[in-house]
Amino acid sequence: MALALCLQVLCSLCGWLSLYISFCHLNKHRSYEWSCRLVTFTHGVLSIGLSAYIGFIDGPWPFTHPGSPNTPLQVHVLCLTLGYFIFDLGWCIYFQSEGALMLAHHTLSILGIIMALVLGESGTEVNAVLFGSEITNPLLQMRWFLRETGHYHSFTGDVVDFLFVALFTGVRIGVGARLLFCEMISPTPKWFVKVGGVAMYAVSWCFMFNIWRFAWKKSIKKYHAWRSRWSEERQLKHNGRLKTH
């Protein structure tokens, strides 16, 4: 069983690495980070779809059955995601592209998935955490691509930012709090699984403070720009009336 899991994770790691190399060859005029973020975007979309299917259709429901035995589909998805996080953590360390908070997030994610796979249980709530963590990931990558291509300061950029902040606050913080509460009051999950859940939620709050600070600064900047534009338009109208008189 352990050998089969290791092989699945190794295949996943090789798959993500191969995809990254392919993107690098297809985008030779772009940076390595461009190709890495394409891999991240692909994983985000794929993991959202798979984890949503597990949570909402295949089951069991994470809010009522935390700590339940892993299903075969959960194991496959966790192995797929574990290979990705190992790849991305290695890339971030090699290129020194991320700070301590993102590295801590990746490390906790890797440890949490390994723990669920070794125990053979709690894949239900780990899968739910995966869904909540990845649901904002495609939007985060879209923000970066918009900025790199010079299209960030546009209506599309504003929509992406709004959706990112709204989803992060509503799902990762709001729904995440409910999931953590269900995890903590349930007698089924191991105590160290609960500790891991608290640690992941604490990391989410650290991200949330940074996101709210960014959203506040951007809102103030947009407000001042609107006030300035409104004052200019008012001044132009006033000058126009003076000239007609």
Side-chain angles (χ1 to χ4, degrees):
M1 182 64 179
L3 179 60
L5 291 176
C6 290
L7 286 174
Q8 285 190 64
V9 175
L10 182 60
C11 289
S12 171
L13 175 59
C14 291
W16 293 116
L17 185 59
S18 299
L19 183 62
Y20 170 69
I21 294 173
S22 299
F23 282 142
C24 287
H25 282 294
L26 292 172
N27 301 278
K28 293 180 180 180
H29 60 293
R30 298 289 187 178
S31 64
Y32 290 127
E33 186 173 3
W34 179 282
S35 297
C36 184
R37 287 186 179 270
L38 283 176
V39 174
T40 301
F41 181 86
T42 304
H43 170 262
V45 173
L46 186 61
S47 61
I48 289 170
L50 291 173
S51 58
Y53 176 81
I54 290 174
F56 294 105
I57 299 176
D58 192 62
W61 187 239
F63 296 96
T64 55
H65 294 82
S68 57
N70 299 341
T71 66
L73 183 56
Q74 287 174 354
V75 171
H76 292 322
V77 173
L78 291 179
C79 288
L80 178 70
T81 298
L82 180 56
Y84 162 76
F85 275 120
I86 294 173
F87 157 77
D88 200 49
L89 179 62
W91 193 95
C92 292
I93 293 174
Y94 181 80
F95 287 96
Q96 298 180 347
S97 61
E98 298 291 346
L101 186 58
M102 183 60 74
L103 296 180
H105 170 269
H106 277 36
T107 302
L108 285 173
S109 298
I110 290 171
L111 293 176
I113 294 173
I114 291 175
M115 183 170 57
L117 291 173
V118 171
L119 291 174
E121 62 184 47
S122 290
T124 301
E125 58 266 38
V126 172
N127 176 81
V129 171
L130 173 64
F131 174 79
S133 299
E134 292 298 319
I135 195 169
T136 54
N137 196 297
L139 292 170
L140 184 63
Q141 307 315 315
M142 287 175 64
R143 291 179 69 245
W144 189 87
F145 287 124
L146 286 171
R147 188 178 289 110
E148 284 295 300
T149 55
H151 297 94
Y152 177 68
H153 298 290
S154 63
F155 176 73
T156 302
D158 292 340
V159 171
V160 170
D161 277 345
F162 174 79
L163 291 175
F164 175 76
V165 175
L167 278 175
F168 197 103
T169 305
V171 177
R172 199 154 174 175
I173 299 301
V175 180
R178 177 61 182 173
L179 179 63
L180 181 61
F181 174 77
C182 295
E183 177 84 3
M184 298 302 289
I185 64 173
S186 174
T188 307
K190 302 287 192 300
W191 67 269
F192 46 85
V193 176
K194 297 182 179 182
V195 171
V198 172
M200 281 296 292
Y201 191 66
V203 169
S204 294
W205 265 107
C206 292
F207 281 125
M208 189 74 264
F209 285 131
N210 292 333
I211 291 169
W212 280 346
R213 186 165 58 246
F214 153 78
W216 174 256
K217 288 181 179 179
K218 182 170 183 177
S219 298
I220 293 298
K221 187 177 180 180
K222 287 283 185 182
Y223 172 73
H224 286 309
W226 173 80
R227 283 294 301 271
S228 176
R229 191 163 57 248
W230 179 78
S231 297
E232 289 176 0
E233 291 176 356
R234 185 180 181 185
Q235 188 67 28
L236 286 172
K237 289 180 180 179
H238 179 70
N239 292 339
R241 284 197 297 269
L242 286 177
K243 290 179 181 180
T244 56
H245 288 306

